[in-house]
Amino acid sequence: MDINQEVHNAFEVIQNGGIILYPTDTVWGIGCDASNEDTVKKIYALKQREESKSMIVLMNGDKMMYNVFKEVPETAWQILDISEKPTTLILDNPRNVAKNIIAEDNTLGVRVVTEPFCFKLMERMKRPLVSTSANISGMFTPKSFKDISPEIIKGVDYVVNLHREKICDKPSTIIKLSLDNQVKIIRK
């Protein structure tokens, strides 16, 4: 399996407003262009999830972070530097993303990834990638590709053909960080 070919295939689908099923640095995710409101709606529909429950986005570095957040608290960079496992930060006042992905309190959960597939895909997209667990809302989060329900697999436009054997038992740590530097651990 060629990672560059998979990046190309996924990119083509995303460019055309499609949704993909793909391996992340944690669990398998359902994703799309985070700035495409209609495609984000498709993911909510597939997951049977209320739009009031926001989803997170993946980013591939500082430049993308500053494109979505005018201000990134210094603490955010410090947390990312010392984190030993994937960490999602919930930050204030996102911009340049679909409105239906932003939480009611005007925050957005983001994770900076180094996982090669996600990283390269976002390099091509030049935009953040939606990431939500590959399950129907309220059902268990699949730990590996073989645990993903057929309904989800049939409901996406493309399934990335990488890391099908990988087992992941840990979702990311989630930390909410407000601009006035209040820190709240949501999930360890």
Side-chain angles (χ1 to χ4, degrees):
M1 282 163 279
D2 177 15
I3 185 170
N4 294 324
Q5 186 60 52
E6 288 302 314
V7 166
H8 174 78
N9 296 352
F11 176 74
E12 294 288 306
V13 167
I14 286 171
Q15 281 296 94
N16 293 310
I19 59 178
I20 63 168
L21 181 60
Y22 66 103
T24 74
D25 51 344
T26 59
V27 297
W28 273 76
I30 305 170
C32 69
D33 174 348
S35 65
N36 185 329
E37 203 162 324
D38 292 334
T39 315
V40 170
K41 278 186 178 141
K42 287 187 197 172
I43 295 180
Y44 279 115
L46 176 60
K47 283 186 65 95
Q48 299 166 27
R49 182 180 177 130
E50 299 154 43
E51 286 201 24
S52 60
K53 289 186 164 181
S54 59
M55 296 183 281
I56 74 159
V57 300
L58 302 181
M59 300 192 179
N60 66 358
D62 306 15
K63 192 174 167 199
M64 207 172 270
M65 282 281 276
Y66 283 114
N67 187 36
V68 174
F69 300 98
K70 202 161 77 176
E71 294 179 71
V72 178
E74 188 52 42
T75 321
W77 301 117
Q78 292 165 351
I79 290 170
L80 293 175
D81 284 346
I82 61 169
S83 296
E84 286 173 19
K85 68 178 210 161
T87 299
T88 299
L89 296 176
I90 300 173
L91 301 175
D92 290 332
N93 307 329
R95 58 193 182 157
N96 301 328
V97 291
K99 285 184 177 43
N100 55 348
I101 203 169
I102 298 172
E104 286 170 357
D105 62 356
N106 200 26
T107 59
L108 179 66
V110 296
R111 194 163 76 239
V112 176
V113 297
T114 53
E115 192 282 319
F117 171 78
C118 294
F119 189 89
K120 286 178 174 202
L121 178 57
M122 285 184 281
E123 243 176 10
R124 288 274 314 262
M125 291 168 60
K126 307 212 177 338
R127 290 197 186 90
L129 180 66
V130 169
S131 185
T132 180
S133 56
N135 59 333
I136 303 293
S137 202
M139 306 297 272
F140 78 99
T141 300
K143 291 183 182 351
S144 67
F145 182 77
K146 67 176 176 25
D147 297 332
I148 299 170
S149 79
E151 195 175 352
I152 293 283
I153 293 171
K154 281 190 210 103
V156 299
D157 300 301
Y158 185 69
V159 179
V160 173
N161 194 14
L162 294 168
H163 309 300
R164 297 271 176 103
E165 310 309 312
K166 189 176 116 178
I167 293 177
C168 178
D169 33 10
K170 285 264 180 9
S172 66
T173 298
I174 301 178
I175 299 173
K176 187 168 186 169
L177 196 59
S178 57
L179 284 174
D180 59 5
N181 279 324
Q182 290 184 35
V183 176
K184 186 175 173 194
I185 308 235
I186 311 277
R187 180 171 69 200
K188 274 200 159 134

